[in-house]
Amino acid sequence: MEKKTNSAEKILLNYYQKERKRQKSTLNLIASENYPSKKVLFYSGSLLMNKYAEGYPNARYYQGCQNIDKIEELTIDLAKKLFGVEYANVQPHSGSQANQAVYLALLKSGDKILSLNLLAGGHLTHGAKVNFSGTFYQIHYYNLNPLTQKLDYEEISKIAQEVKPKLIVTGYSAYSLKIDFAKFRQIADRVGAYLLADIAHTAGLVAASLFPNPVNYADVITFTTHKTLRGPRGAVILAKKELGPKIDKAVFPGNQGGPNPAIIAAKAQCFLEALQPEFKEYQKQVLKNAKAMADYFQNKRVKVISGSTETHLLLIDTKNSYNLTGKEAAERLEKIDIICNKNMLPYDKEKPWITSGIRLGSPALTTRSLGKKEFQLIAEVIDSTLRNHYDTNKKEAKDKIRYLIKKFF
Ligand code: DSN
């Protein structure tokens, strides 16, 4: 028995070390990933996780919560300061649970939600049939304009007036342009709907005032803390003060049990870092780097969805540009140590595990200090690797990647 335990321990450690090595020897272009600071990692895995603290500060179901109360209060204050809001709940374990709690707080089962079609950049929790959101609520979709692949506010308004949803969802996982939250507010007001802005992807850009802030327009805002925000794996809900009690109740006891105080402390550390001037400089570079890739592809006549990027990510139509499905393109890139994800495109006819494109993001490699020149080089390597030059150029491409890894990691 003991021998078995030892060998399982070895296997576990071995795969941890292999994953560590993989992260240090590949170029990460996954738009939703990042590398948090040592302090964020410290709190995330700290002894704070030993404490049960069901409830909220000064109203817990367990004794011994005096320090956790202060940590949670501090985290809430920092979230409110960073985003300029009246109310924050810092307990959601994930973006999915944050959205689940918002629906629970504002809707009844069977109520109508209007959101962006998943193919066009929405999220699973915005109404996918296979998700709780598509099971318990009546979902209606708006889509991107088929020609421009941009949000079409007139069309969204028309659909909203036909559908009369109780909730409209904006904020996306794979849309590369700015969002006009004021227009969404007008659309929601016309039909008496709540407006949810899910800014999981752009939270870091919003915190740095480099992307429109939905605070004065949305009733509720959700975001994860581990993407552009570069914090721990978790989520936050922001709202107008009057919705606070309903949302608190929906998070606990409605949707979660005990919060994880270790992750809450790590969120506080993340917000502290995001309030520093260096964070704004980092986010500026995130935008420049994504734009450098998009410009390179555009110059090579590669089809970039929505025409460009104003965020940390871009989508490439690999089917039309290289005659490769997203799956084939992503797998080919992995062979030269570039990691990205296959992604559905607006009106995609392929299955979700095949897709017609890939999504590329700049946050993780910008944290590693790569700049515009390096991102142009990465775009060049991607372009040449996907252009049937794969076999002949494989060594050259790998050498370029190795050069970047050696210089920056
Ligand atoms: N959909 C994931 C992503 O954007 O990668 C996050 O939930």
Side-chain angles (χ1 to χ4, degrees), residues 302-303 316-330 345 355-358 386:
V302 170
K303 202 158 181 296
I316 287 179
D317 182 338
T318 53
K319 195 93 173 280
N320 276 308
S321 310
Y322 301 110
N323 200 23
L324 292 170
T325 65
K327 179 176 190 288
E328 287 165 337
L345 302 181
T355 79
S356 298
I358 55 174
L386 298 183

Side-chain angles (χ1 to χ4, degrees), residues 19 22-23 25-31 33 35 329-342 358-361 364-365 378 382 401:
E19 176 56 16
R22 189 197 66 78
Q23 290 191 20
S25 58
T26 52
L27 292 183
N28 184 4
L29 291 175
I30 293 184
E33 294 182 10
Y35 305 110
E331 286 174 359
R332 192 182 280 192
L333 292 175
E334 186 168 18
K335 288 190 183 138
I336 57 159
D337 296 329
I338 290 179
I339 309 297
C340 67
N341 67 283
K342 55 181 173 276
I358 55 174
R359 185 183 67 166
L360 305 173
L365 289 182
I378 294 169
I382 292 175
I401 304 297

Side-chain angles (χ1 to χ4, degrees), residues 30 32 123 173 201 227 341 359:
I30 293 184
S32 47
H123 188 253
S173 295
H201 266 266
K227 297 185 175 95
N341 67 283
R359 185 183 67 166

Side-chain angles (χ1 to χ4, degrees), residues 112-131:
K112 291 178 192 167
I113 297 177
L114 178 62
S115 63
L116 181 67
N117 192 316
L118 182 65
L119 303 189
H123 188 253
L124 269 180
T125 56
H126 298 177
K129 270 203 185 112
V130 290
N131 185 259

